[in-house]
Amino acid sequence: MIRLIGLVLVVATMTGCLFVVDSRESIGDQQWNEGELDRVDVGSTRADWIRNNFGSPDRVSTYDNGREVWRYRNTSERESEIGLFLLFNINIERESAETLALEISDGVVTDYWVEKR
């Protein structure tokens, strides 16, 4: 009987041993958002509108045919601290990034895409 009570106490104390202590997400550099991206119209949005609304590109690639690809980067970071069996904590960090690439030719956006990492 004493063994059964001891076993029940051990099992009862172990049921809540794996838990998230703290979780937070921080947004890093944000150069663009979905609302602004929805306003980009391929073939008619001008490069000066992009620069006025998104700012200076993070990176510009120029090609021989005069075409340019402007890249804007958004970053965020998520950190979680997990307690395990009330003995120690594990920190988990994850960084994510999205890059908006806009192809510009003759001062007009001709294509765009989002690269996720």
Side-chain angles (χ1 to χ4, degrees):
M1 184 64 152
I2 294 177
R3 286 184 179 174
L4 180 60
I5 293 172
L7 180 61
V8 169
L9 287 174
V10 169
V11 170
T13 58
M14 291 181 68
T15 57
C17 292
L18 180 63
F19 57 91
V20 174
V21 175
D22 185 28
S23 182
R24 63 181 167 228
E25 185 169 355
S26 61
I27 296 175
D29 296 330
Q30 293 291 102
Q31 292 187 302
W32 58 278
N33 64 50
E34 291 293 326
E36 292 171 327
L37 188 56
D38 288 342
R39 296 174 54 195
V40 174
D41 185 23
V42 172
S44 63
T45 300
R46 305 217 27 95
D48 56 347
W49 185 91
I50 296 294
R51 192 176 295 277
N52 288 337
N53 286 278
F54 296 173
S56 295
D58 193 40
R59 193 174 82 208
V60 175
S61 301
T62 305
Y63 298 92
D64 290 339
N65 61 2
R67 182 178 61 97
E68 295 182 331
V69 176
W70 295 5
R71 287 187 168 77
Y72 294 88
R73 186 173 180 173
N74 288 351
T75 60
S76 65
E77 187 174 290
R78 176 178 222 128
E79 183 177 331
S80 297
E81 184 178 339
I82 301 173
L84 185 61
F85 297 119
L86 301 175
L87 298 174
F88 58 91
N89 291 333
I90 299 171
N91 290 325
I92 300 171
E93 294 181 16
R94 189 190 78 177
E95 182 180 309
S96 62
E98 292 183 328
T99 301
L100 169 63
L102 296 137
E103 181 181 281
I104 298 178
S105 184
D106 295 324
V108 175
V109 175
T110 55
D111 195 8
Y112 69 89
W113 60 93
V114 176
E115 302 164 348
K116 295 185 181 196
R117 180 191 75 133

